[in-house]
Amino acid sequence: MTFYFTGTGNSYAAAIKLQQNLHGDLISITDCVQNGEFVFAPADDEPVGIVCPIYYGGLPSIVNEFLEKVQFENAPSYLFGVLTYGGMMMGAGWRLEQKVKKAGLQLSAVFGVKMPANFAILYEPPHEDAAKPILEASEKRLDVIAEKIRDRECVKEGAGIAEIALSTANYPTYDRSRVTAPFYVNDKCVSCGVCARRCPVKAIEMVDGKPTWVLEKCVFCMSCVRCGAIQYGNKLEGRYRYRHPVFRKKKHCCKKKDTAEVE
Ligand SMILES: Cc1cc2nc3c(=O)[nH]c(=O)nc-3n(C[C@H](O)[C@H](O)[C@H](O)COP(=O)(O)O)c2cc1C
Ligand code: SF4
Ligand code: SF4
């Protein structure tokens, strides 16, 4: 049983790869939170995983919410985390363990997987040519991790003293930064509504055919900014919008208007 959250596809691709190796259900944390589904019954000895990106050295807000509400009818005998990140894991493994403990559960293992960094509001994400070798290395890393999970290894990454200190310094910034006020759309928007449908916390509503940010704070997952019509102050102008190839299969209507593809 693998729970995942993703903004731009890295953690989704990682969760699919793990599930192909380990079998069991693949469950979207976004769907669980949106549908209020928090009670699960893993089979005896079934590994249970949480796969998600690292934000500011910690967990995305929606993953925190999920972990505060989730209940298992029978406690998982092996609970693991796989955290994808672009540069530094910091103490994200430690944060996951703290969160899981508060839920009355025990974390057996946590692994980090370096993947392309997607935080376009802060920096230029790697373009396709630069992302390719990172993705290839992540595939190999995930095979190794699946092997360790099958062997029920108890590895704790992202939990060293220096890493915890980095996370302690950085993670509080996440809650201050994830404000929606600077989001707006330019005239490339074709009112398709995909950004609103895809937002994990319904922070976007279509008002008079245009996306409108209706929550003060969001997850900051970078899912909506896959569409080149979406701007954040002046931070995203001319910037490449990363998404994993797993999300690149379909073309999007606003491509016709020379914006980035959404789906
Ligand atoms: C708001 C935000 C904060 C991030 N913080 C970190 C970080 O602290 N360390 C890091 O290495 N990568 C960080 N990243 C990069 C993502 O963790 C990384 O690209 C991840 O694989 C994205 O996963 P996804 O495609 O499943 O959304 C951040 C990305 C975002 C959007
Ligand atoms: S995905 Fe892009 S084109 Fe579609 S409604 Fe949102 S901003 Fe407009
Ligand atoms: S508004 Fe955009 S960045 Fe914020 S949670 Fe929704 S999709 Fe993600």
Side-chain angles (χ1 to χ4, degrees):
M1 186 175 278
T2 306
F3 297 92
Y4 73 91
F5 170 73
T6 192
T8 58
N10 287 349
S11 310
Y12 179 48
I16 292 174
K17 180 125 179 90
L18 285 173
Q19 191 229 16
Q20 283 165 351
N21 269 296
L22 302 167
H23 311 294
D25 294 334
L26 189 60
I27 301 169
S28 156
I29 288 177
T30 297
D31 288 349
C32 293
V33 171
Q34 287 187 3
N35 302 328
E37 287 164 10
F38 295 108
V39 184
F40 298 92
D44 284 351
D45 204 32
E46 179 183 7
V48 174
I50 309 285
V51 183
C52 70
I54 291 172
Y55 291 168
Y56 292 84
L59 304 178
S61 52
I62 191 169
V63 176
N64 282 334
E65 181 183 349
F66 174 74
L67 291 172
E68 280 156 22
K69 293 178 179 168
V70 72
Q71 288 172 32
F72 292 104
E73 285 176 0
N74 28 332
S77 57
Y78 183 85
L79 179 60
F80 68 91
V82 171
L83 306 177
T84 74
Y85 65 97
M88 278 177 89
M89 199 179 174
M90 296 191 242
W94 165 74
R95 287 208 177 267
L96 177 64
E97 181 155 36
Q98 297 303 304
K99 208 71 202 164
V100 156
K101 262 189 198 157
K102 271 199 179 159
L105 299 164
Q106 202 190 329
L107 190 72
S108 302
V110 56
F111 309 91
V113 183
K114 186 169 161 51
M115 293 189 85
N118 69 346
F119 197 1
I121 284 175
L122 213 60
Y123 46 71
E124 179 84 1
H127 294 219
E128 267 182 59
D129 52 344
K132 197 165 172 260
I134 305 173
L135 289 172
E136 285 167 0
S138 74
E139 299 256 317
K140 289 190 188 128
R141 168 86 176 126
L142 283 159
D143 283 334
V144 172
I145 290 172
E147 197 61 45
K148 288 180 188 289
I149 293 168
R150 262 197 300 272
D151 291 345
R152 302 291 190 268
E153 281 192 26
C154 294
V155 180
K156 301 275 175 70
E157 296 176 0
I161 289 170
E163 292 171 309
I164 292 171
L166 277 172
S167 176
T168 304
N170 279 280
Y171 193 55
T173 317
Y174 173 44
D175 199 50
R176 289 198 294 273
S177 304
R178 57 191 186 92
V179 291
T180 61
F183 278 118
Y184 69 97
V185 286
N186 65 21
D187 61 6
K188 301 269 171 61
C189 172
V190 293
S191 304
C192 67
V194 168
C195 54
R197 285 202 296 281
R198 288 282 172 87
C199 177
V201 286
K202 307 276 179 214
I204 308 172
E205 282 180 13
M206 298 301 286
V207 178
D208 297 331
K210 292 293 169 209
T212 306
W213 279 261
V214 294
L215 299 182
E216 202 179 309
K217 287 184 179 178
C218 73
V219 182
F220 238 31
C221 70
M222 301 302 114
S223 168
C224 60
V225 309
R226 280 185 272 158
C227 175
I230 293 182
Q231 304 298 322
Y232 192 83
N234 62 1
K235 307 269 187 219
L236 290 170
E237 278 163 24
R239 207 160 251 184
Y240 179 69
R241 320 295 179 88
Y242 171 81
R243 65 188 187 285
H244 189 281
V246 78
F247 278 177
R248 253 187 234 142
K249 285 181 187 137
K250 293 183 202 159
K251 297 267 185 251
H252 182 251
C253 55
C254 60
K255 182 77 173 159
K256 287 181 208 142
K257 289 191 92 182
D258 201 27
T259 64
E261 293 167 24
V262 173
E263 290 181 292

